[in-house]
Amino acid sequence: MDFLPLPRGATGFRHVRDEPLPRVALDDARRAIATMLARSGSISFEPAPDPSSIKSFHDLRVRLRTSTLRALVHRTHPWIVFAKPAPDRGSMDLRFVAPPPEALDPPEPFVVVPLGVLAHPADPGALERLARAEMAQIHYWAPRTIGEVVFQHWD
């Protein structure tokens, strides 16, 4: 998945997990989102859903002056995407949206993943470096896009 932006020094996904994956702390994610969206005026975070219900990303509900959106931050890579609020708190429906204009310059090491990358089809060529167990999950859950593969609830 070479088209996903990786932080400096990262080499991508590993087949063998001989060392623990890095973790993006929830507090770091919250600070990055607050910094990015500070120009929007007043922002606040709504209570997040149960963290055990979402595996590959932190789900931050952000209330801006005129709207509410979801900022999703991957748990092992400092990738940020934005989505519309889910129809209900337990929903795994991720409707990705373009980032707000003020969110296009995130603090390092965070990267905002473009909407076009998230919408890219999850074809076998794009997924060839994933491990067998990850491919089994993809076969079972049948995600359609790279965004659904990377920001998912089964991992």
Side-chain angles (χ1 to χ4, degrees):
M1 292 195 275
D2 293 332
F3 48 84
L4 279 174
L6 292 172
R8 271 186 227 135
T11 58
F13 294 97
R14 295 181 283 239
H15 288 286
V16 179
R17 299 201 176 154
D18 52 359
E19 58 188 65
L21 288 172
R23 290 305 228 185
V24 174
L26 179 59
D27 288 342
D28 293 343
R30 194 182 317 264
R31 272 192 298 278
I33 299 301
T35 299
M36 291 165 49
L37 298 177
R39 291 189 313 215
S40 301
S42 174
I43 74 163
S44 61
F45 293 99
E46 294 181 359
D50 175 11
S52 66
S53 67
I54 298 171
K55 301 295 187 188
S56 77
F57 58 92
H58 299 293
D59 188 352
L60 301 170
R61 310 296 169 107
V62 182
R63 184 173 299 237
L64 302 172
R65 202 170 347 125
T66 59
S67 64
T68 300
L69 62 106
R70 294 168 75 186
L72 311 178
V73 182
H74 199 270
R75 287 185 186 265
T76 60
H77 297 287
W79 297 328
I80 300 171
V81 300
F82 294 89
K84 290 183 180 181
D88 63 69
R89 297 299 270 175
S91 173
M92 288 308 304
D93 182 21
L94 298 180
R95 293 171 287 160
F96 298 113
V97 297
E102 58 273 11
L104 296 177
D105 188 24
E108 283 195 27
F110 292 94
V111 175
V112 174
V113 181
L115 193 55
V117 170
L118 297 169
H120 193 275
D123 60 69
L127 306 174
E128 65 188 10
R129 289 194 276 162
L130 296 178
R132 185 177 307 166
E134 292 164 323
M135 290 303 296
Q137 291 294 323
I138 288 169
H139 178 72
Y140 179 80
W141 292 103
R144 298 174 312 258
T145 66
I146 293 298
E148 292 173 354
V149 170
V150 175
F151 291 88
Q152 39 75 7
H153 62 279
W154 65 77
D155 193 18

